[in-house]
Amino acid sequence: MIKENCVVISTKGKDINQLYICVKVENNFAYLTNGKSRNLSNLKKKNLKHIKFICKCENFDFKSVQNC
């Protein structure tokens, strides 16, 4: 199950095989960041069907992350 603070991989679309961290989940969509092209002010909205769970990030605090 995909929840906040999970590492996921894209399985469909232009960004296939890209790794992301899930910031939040609403309805059938996950909001993702990768720290480069998708920072916290520009989250990627992706259907839950199009991503795969990789692992859980323990003790990760998004409030401490700054956008570059």
Side-chain angles (χ1 to χ4, degrees), residues 32-34 37:
L32 311 171
T33 183
N34 66 3
S37 60

Side-chain angles (χ1 to χ4, degrees), residues 15-50:
D15 61 343
I16 194 166
N17 295 330
Q18 287 285 329
L19 290 173
Y20 293 100
I21 296 176
C22 182
V23 177
K24 69 178 179 175
V25 177
E26 286 183 352
N27 300 326
N28 290 330
F29 293 97
Y31 294 87
L32 311 171
T33 183
N34 66 3
K36 287 188 174 187
S37 60
R38 292 294 182 167
N39 54 31
L40 293 175
S41 62
N42 185 26
L43 296 174
K44 172 85 173 166
K45 181 180 177 183
K46 193 125 178 117
N47 193 314
L48 291 175
K49 295 181 202 175
H50 299 160

